[in-house]
């Protein structure tokens, strides 16, 4: 049944596997954080916090709930990230899970709170919201009922809202069931299998959309039924995540969601591979009462957030805005409106203003002959951020302006985020960005010239730039 005493093995596995997610979440920053928000990064955290210091303390913590208020140097960034990696390993090993979970929550909240544009993805909040539930669940061997109920409601709400936002958007690509036919090509970072999936017949693409809506909006109701229904729901939701992972690169989101689904598998199934944990000491009555009170509050937040998704109210919007920095009840749902074309921003540098050389990102589409890679659960933040550029004007993207300036300066920490710097000896005199329309090649084109992409130049995205001091 739904009762937590039947799922104690699942909870122990869930905590450990959450450590696996954090290992990749923090581990990725070891190679990126200095170039993104370091002292010589694209959006230096120190500058951001100095700007916020003019506001009252309450507002400062609202806009940047981070431990980096004490120290935002490169050493502090790398130290906190390394501590996160070490804590995630201890959590995987099952060493004092409650301590590791609350530590990881505050460490990751600090990176999210200071990450600015580069940490604004939905899975950051999902990970934090799951972690705060996991922490209170871990305080007793058998999770207290209300925190257990809230965790299950979160799993339901995450999937149900993901399907609902697509229908509420009234995007014709979803209503006519063609969205996935576009998605394989237009998603942020396609992989090789996406190239093949894009060529499947339309009946399959439309059937995939129907299957997705079933998995997101109907199957999750099985979470609140008996053991068999929960196990079946787990299989459906994990299969959905596997399909998304198979054809895309969505950071650690698919892995995280699959790990969360483990709470649907009862002891009767898992006892064949894992020993049922026994509580050696009866939990304190005061602890049980406190956790149930907190669980009840989180459960109420789940209901309010779900209600507000369908019946938005100003009062609730203001309330959720107030508590948003803690990520206790996030809004969920991505790709509400499906992008049907793929535009890519290509950055070029020049020594003379006549001959231009391309900078190459590590994973986003660039050369037409380069095979799309599989990289999840690793997330290259700069590649992801660049995917959003074509949807806005150049003037509206301060991070991109800073990025181009760093390329003109030849800043090592920023250049390390790229796969190829065409000016290894000295930075270019001029830099610009242009926009291309990318499409997958056909089987015939792939066989003929080995290309995975076709691309057509659309025009200029940002004008040619140079640093004034270079002309002095």
């Amino acid at each position: 049944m739904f009762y937590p005493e039947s799922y104690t093995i699942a909870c122990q596995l869930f905590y450990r596997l959450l450590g696996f997610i954090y290992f990749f979440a923090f581990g990725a920053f070891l190679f990126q954080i200095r170039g993104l928000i370091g002292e010589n990064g694209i959006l230096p955290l120190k500058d951001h916090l100095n700007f916020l210091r003019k506001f009252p303390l309450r507002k400062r913590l609202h806009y940047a709930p981070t431990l980096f208020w004490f120290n935002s140097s490169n050493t502090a960034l790398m130290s906190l990230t390394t501590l996160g990696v070490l804590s995630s390993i201890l959590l995987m090993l099952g060493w004092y899970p409650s301590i590791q979970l609350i530590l990881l929550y505050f460490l990751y909240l600090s990176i999210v709170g200071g990450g600015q544009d580069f940490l604004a993805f939905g899975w950051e909040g999902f990970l934090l919201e799951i972690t705060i539930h996991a922490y209170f669940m871990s305080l007793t061997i058998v999770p207290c009922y209300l925190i257990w109920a809230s965790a299950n409601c979160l799993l339901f709400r995450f999937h149900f809202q993901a399907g609902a936002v697509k229908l509420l958007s009234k995007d014709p690509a979803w209503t006519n069931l063609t969205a996935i036919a576009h998605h394989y090509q237009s998603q942020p970072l396609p992989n090789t299998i996406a190239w093949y999936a894009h060529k499947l017949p339309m009946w399959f693409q439309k059937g995939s959309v129907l299957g997705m809506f079933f998995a997101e909006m109907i199957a999750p109701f099985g979470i609140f039924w008996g053991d068999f229904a929960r196990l079946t729901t787990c299989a459906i939701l994990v299969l959905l995540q596997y399909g998304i992972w198979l054809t895309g690169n969505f950071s650690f989101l698919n892995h995280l969601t699959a790990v969360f689904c483990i709470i649907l598998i009862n002891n009767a199934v898992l006892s064949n591979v894992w020993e049922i944990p026994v509580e050696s000491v009866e939990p304190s009555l005061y602890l049980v009462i406190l956790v149930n009170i907190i669980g009840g509050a989180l459960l109420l937040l789940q209901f309010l957030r779900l209600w507000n998704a369908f019946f938005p109210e100003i009062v609730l919007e203001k309330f959720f805005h107030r508590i948003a920095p803690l990520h206790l009840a996030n809004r969920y749902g991505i790709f509400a409106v499906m992008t049907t074309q793929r535009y890519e921003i290509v950055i070029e540098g020049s020594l003379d203003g006549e001959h231009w050389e391309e900078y190459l990102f590590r994973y986003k589409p660039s050369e037409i002959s380069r095979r799309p890679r599989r990289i999840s659960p690793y997330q290259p933040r700069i590649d992801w951020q660049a995917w959003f550029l074509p949807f806005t004007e150049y003037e509206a993207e301060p991070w991109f302006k800073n990025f181009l300036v760093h390329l003109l300066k030849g800043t090592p920490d920023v250049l390390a985020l790229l796969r190829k710097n065409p000016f290894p000896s000295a930075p270019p005199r001029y830099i610009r960005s242009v926009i291309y329309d990318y499409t997958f090649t056909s089987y015939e084109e792939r066989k003929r010239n080995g290309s995975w992409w076709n691309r057509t130049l659309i025009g200029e995205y940002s004008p040619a730039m140079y640093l004034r001091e270079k002309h002095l």
Side-chain angles (χ1 to χ4, degrees), residues 37-58:
I37 61 172
E39 295 174 67
N40 296 306
I42 299 169
L43 294 176
L45 178 56
K46 185 175 294 186
D47 294 347
H48 178 58
L49 296 182
N50 285 339
F51 170 76
L52 291 177
R53 289 184 196 279
K54 66 182 182 181
F55 295 103
L57 179 61
R58 181 181 62 81

Side-chain angles (χ1 to χ4, degrees), residues 3 23 48 51 231 241 251 258 340 362 380 390 420 455 460:
Y3 298 109
F23 179 80
H48 178 58
F51 170 76
L231 186 62
Q241 296 306 317
S251 186
T340 59
R362 290 191 179 275
K420 179 185 175 183
R455 74 176 190 178
E460 180 183 85

Side-chain angles (χ1 to χ4, degrees), residues 277-471:
V278 178
E279 191 144 28
S280 56
V281 179
E282 190 73 18
S284 163
L285 177 61
Y286 297 108
L287 176 63
V288 172
I289 292 173
L290 176 61
V291 173
N292 272 310
I293 290 172
I294 294 171
L298 291 173
L299 183 60
L300 178 60
L301 290 179
Q302 301 297 326
F303 290 139
L304 291 176
R305 180 57 97 173
L306 190 59
W307 172 272
N308 200 54
F310 296 94
F311 309 100
E313 299 179 9
I314 295 177
V315 173
L316 284 178
E317 289 291 344
K318 289 182 177 179
F319 169 72
F320 283 119
H321 176 73
R322 291 274 183 131
I323 67 170
L326 297 177
H327 296 281
L328 300 178
N330 302 290
R331 177 187 286 113
Y332 295 115
I334 60 174
F335 294 111
V337 176
M338 179 56 65
T339 53
T340 59
Q341 290 180 287
R342 176 174 210 94
Y343 295 116
E344 289 287 352
I345 303 301
V346 173
I347 302 170
E348 300 175 332
S350 174
L351 296 172
D352 57 10
E354 296 292 334
H355 302 90
W356 297 88
E357 297 284 340
E358 288 188 24
Y359 286 85
L360 300 178
F361 288 77
R362 290 191 179 275
Y363 302 107
K364 87 177 187 70
S366 51
E367 312 100 307
I368 61 174
S369 60
R370 189 166 192 255
R371 179 177 59 83
R373 264 50 174 189
R374 177 181 303 287
I375 55 170
S376 65
Y378 182 83
Q379 182 182 359
R381 300 275 169 169
I382 191 73
D383 297 56
W384 260 87
Q385 207 63 37
W387 181 77
F388 293 97
L389 288 173
F391 305 121
T392 58
E393 298 293 332
Y394 163 71
E395 290 77 12
E397 296 290 349
W399 78 265
F400 188 61
K401 295 179 182 179
N402 291 351
F403 181 48
L404 296 182
V405 169
H406 279 290
L407 296 184
L408 284 170
K409 291 180 177 179
T411 306
D413 286 344
V414 175
L415 287 171
L417 299 173
L418 299 173
R419 177 165 55 92
K420 179 185 175 183
N421 169 22
F423 303 95
S425 301
R429 190 174 186 179
Y430 304 96
I431 204 157
R432 71 180 184 185
S433 61
V434 292
I435 186 167
Y436 281 89
D437 181 13
Y438 274 68
T439 57
F440 279 141
T441 54
S442 64
Y443 282 115
E444 293 75 18
E445 290 169 322
R446 171 91 183 92
K447 185 177 181 180
R448 184 171 63 250
N449 56 28
S451 296
W452 295 88
W453 297 97
N454 290 314
R455 74 176 190 178
T456 303
L457 179 64
I458 302 297
E460 180 183 85
Y461 181 71
S462 68
M465 300 169 52
Y466 63 90
L467 297 178
R468 289 186 182 276
E469 56 265 29
K470 290 202 168 194
H471 292 273

Side-chain angles (χ1 to χ4, degrees), residues 139-203:
L139 294 177
T140 53
I141 292 297
V142 177
C144 295
Y145 185 80
L146 289 180
I147 192 68
W148 172 250
S150 183
N152 280 265
C153 284
L154 172 57
L155 182 60
F156 170 84
R157 185 171 66 84
F158 174 78
H159 287 92
F160 191 77
Q161 281 190 253
V165 297
K166 297 176 178 67
L167 295 179
L168 292 173
S169 72
K170 298 181 181 179
D171 179 11
W174 289 115
T175 55
N176 64 22
L177 307 181
T178 61
I180 290 181
H182 302 295
H183 170 74
Y184 295 125
Q185 178 178 271
S186 66
Q187 64 180 306
L189 297 180
N191 59 31
T192 306
I193 295 179
W195 186 88
Y196 291 97
H198 180 69
K199 293 158 180 57
L200 293 171
M202 186 54 69
W203 64 264

Side-chain angles (χ1 to χ4, degrees), residues 15 56 66 79 106 137 165 173-174 234 260 283 286 294 370 454:
Y15 308 146
T66 176
S79 298
F106 282 110
M137 287 166 57
V165 297
W174 289 115
C234 177
F260 197 19
Y286 297 108
I294 294 171
R370 189 166 192 255
N454 290 314

Side-chain angles (χ1 to χ4, degrees), residues 45-90:
L45 178 56
K46 185 175 294 186
D47 294 347
H48 178 58
L49 296 182
N50 285 339
F51 170 76
L52 291 177
R53 289 184 196 279
K54 66 182 182 181
F55 295 103
L57 179 61
R58 181 181 62 81
K59 285 196 173 182
R60 286 187 224 168
L61 295 179
H62 179 86
Y63 291 114
T66 176
L67 295 171
F68 292 123
W69 282 108
F70 298 103
N71 189 335
S72 56
S73 65
N74 280 353
T75 301
L77 291 173
M78 295 301 292
S79 298
L80 186 146
T81 302
T82 303
L83 180 58
V85 172
L86 294 175
S87 182
S88 70
I89 293 172
L90 293 177

